[in-house]
Amino acid sequence: MQVAVTRRIDDDALAILASIGQLRYWDNDLPPDRDELLKLLDGVDGALMLLTDRVDAGLLDRCPSLRVVSNLAVGFDNIDVAACTARRVAACTTPNVLTQTTAEFTIALLMAVARQVVPAARAARDGDWKTWYPFRFLGRDLAGATLGIVGLGRIGASVAQMATGLGMRVVYSSGRTDERYQRLDIDELLETADIVSLHVPATPTTHHLIEAHALALMKSDAILINTSRGTVIDADALVAALEEGRLFGVGLDVTDPEPLPSDHPLYSFDRVTIVPHIASATMTTRMRMSSLAAQNVVAVLTGVEPPHCLNPEVLRNV
Ligand code: DGY
């Protein structure tokens, strides 16, 4: 049995994979390009992959020995699941283990934007701290504010619970039903919320969900937080809204594209905080994610039901 790993990961996950066969390891912090990826996957039975690896019909046809692709992520917009199913390749993910960590980071980003932590820290570091300023770096209080959650899934629900603990009123627009919070349609949510936090997957339906019209509906001093996927926001429309002076602040853990080029106009606004897709990045959580991704591979290749498979119908004849 041969298994590929498309990025440098921790030894525990590698050991899980090595227990069933030979490893072909991309021992690098940067991803393989398409040709390197195809070469790496050539002839392997399974692969532990990252959200930066595009798994489409073209790749699957070039790698007919593949029986499982296991994403080191809960999101799977990099994987064409239908193409996997058509070729009887199991597609697996790592939900649940990152829910709390991602929700905690959403609150951290929200607080950083609401309290201008990044511009204030930059001013202190740059020698621009001359006195105690009564009216500089003024933020927004969270207690009493209305948080609009777009997508009350696992992570959205965890954010809602934390926000409630901070004294926020929570409304939501899609996802599971939860009687504790008020459900609104998306336009009502955008008009009502002081803070809008996005928790939907990247799908054709959510592509540019937050575009010019949506941004115009938001309160002009609202805060927008995105820890889901960059494509949910139309970045050009966001830049235009910011140039018009709209929005108190924006926190982006995800962007379109990723990485966001360093000359992108979004970096020019002090009230925009951008971080490089780190919401699930704690040691414990990344270790759990990588173990789970490895377990998915091992389970499929040894004929056991994997912990998290998106297309379990293919498993019957793997
Ligand atoms: C995911 O898992 O989809 C995140 O974006 C990375 O944790």
Side-chain angles (χ1 to χ4, degrees), residues 6 16 27 54 66 70 74 89 120 124 133-134 138-139 149 161 163 170 192 199 226 234-235 286 302 318:
T6 67
I16 293 172
D27 187 10
R54 192 162 42 85
L66 264 183
S70 179
V74 63
V89 175
Y133 303 101
L138 300 184
I149 300 218
Q161 197 174 10
V170 173
T192 309
H199 299 284
N226 190 9
D234 176 347
R286 287 287 164 85
T302 55
V318 166

Side-chain angles (χ1 to χ4, degrees), residues 65-286:
S65 59
L66 264 183
R67 288 191 281 154
V68 52
V69 291
S70 179
N71 234 20
L72 183 75
V74 63
F76 54 89
D77 41 293
N78 59 310
I79 299 179
D80 182 339
V81 179
C84 288
T85 306
R87 291 157 184 81
R88 307 205 68 77
V89 175
C92 301
T93 56
T94 63
N96 303 323
V97 291
L98 49 68
T99 301
Q100 177 83 3
T101 302
T102 305
E104 283 176 9
F105 185 80
T106 304
I107 297 289
L109 188 56
L110 164 49
M111 286 188 169
V113 173
R115 298 301 300 272
Q116 301 209 52
V117 171
V118 174
R122 189 181 305 127
R125 178 181 289 229
D126 291 352
D128 183 20
W129 178 10
K130 311 281 193 257
T131 183
W132 180 83
Y133 303 101
F135 287 96
R136 198 177 169 202
F137 300 121
L138 300 184
R140 299 279 303 276
D141 289 309
L142 298 187
T146 297
L147 172 66
I149 300 218
V150 180
L152 198 71
R154 283 178 290 247
I155 296 169
S158 184
V159 171
Q161 197 174 10
M162 291 177 194
T164 305
L166 292 169
M168 302 175 82
R169 170 181 171 245
V170 173
V171 298
Y172 69 103
S173 69
S174 56
R176 61 178 73 156
T177 299
D178 193 320
E179 308 282 324
R180 287 171 297 177
Y181 316 120
Q182 190 182 2
R183 187 172 192 133
L184 301 175
D185 70 38
I186 178 86
D187 285 3
E188 279 176 315
L189 178 143
L190 294 169
E191 285 166 352
T192 309
D194 300 301
I195 299 151
V196 174
S197 190
L198 306 176
H199 299 284
V200 285
T203 64
T205 318
T206 62
H207 186 84
H208 287 187
L209 181 69
I210 304 299
E211 35 60 284
H213 172 71
L215 289 161
L217 288 178
M218 288 174 69
K219 293 182 178 179
S220 64
D221 60 352
I223 290 172
L224 176 63
I225 302 294
N226 190 9
T227 55
S228 61
R229 283 293 184 265
T231 52
V232 178
I233 297 180
D234 176 347
D236 293 341
L238 179 57
V239 169
L242 289 160
E243 276 168 352
E244 283 167 19
R246 300 182 53 76
L247 301 180
F248 177 86
V250 178
L252 302 176
D253 177 50
V254 288
T255 57
D256 179 28
E258 288 184 14
L260 193 68
S262 58
D263 59 353
H264 194 281
L266 278 172
Y267 288 116
S268 64
F269 300 96
D270 267 354
R271 62 193 198 283
V272 177
T273 295
I274 301 172
V275 293
H277 204 149
I278 59 168
S280 68
T282 66
M283 180 62 90
T284 308
T285 292
R286 287 287 164 85

Side-chain angles (χ1 to χ4, degrees), residues 31-82:
D33 65 24
R34 183 75 170 179
D35 287 341
E36 291 165 332
L37 183 63
L38 288 168
K39 205 168 152 201
L40 189 70
L41 300 185
D42 185 32
V44 301
D45 302 284
L48 188 155
M49 312 192 68
L50 270 71
L51 49 80
T52 42
D53 303 317
R54 192 162 42 85
V55 179
D56 54 17
L59 178 137
L60 294 167
D61 287 340
R62 296 275 299 275
C63 308
S65 59
L66 264 183
R67 288 191 281 154
V68 52
V69 291
S70 179
N71 234 20
L72 183 75
V74 63
F76 54 89
D77 41 293
N78 59 310
I79 299 179
D80 182 339
V81 179

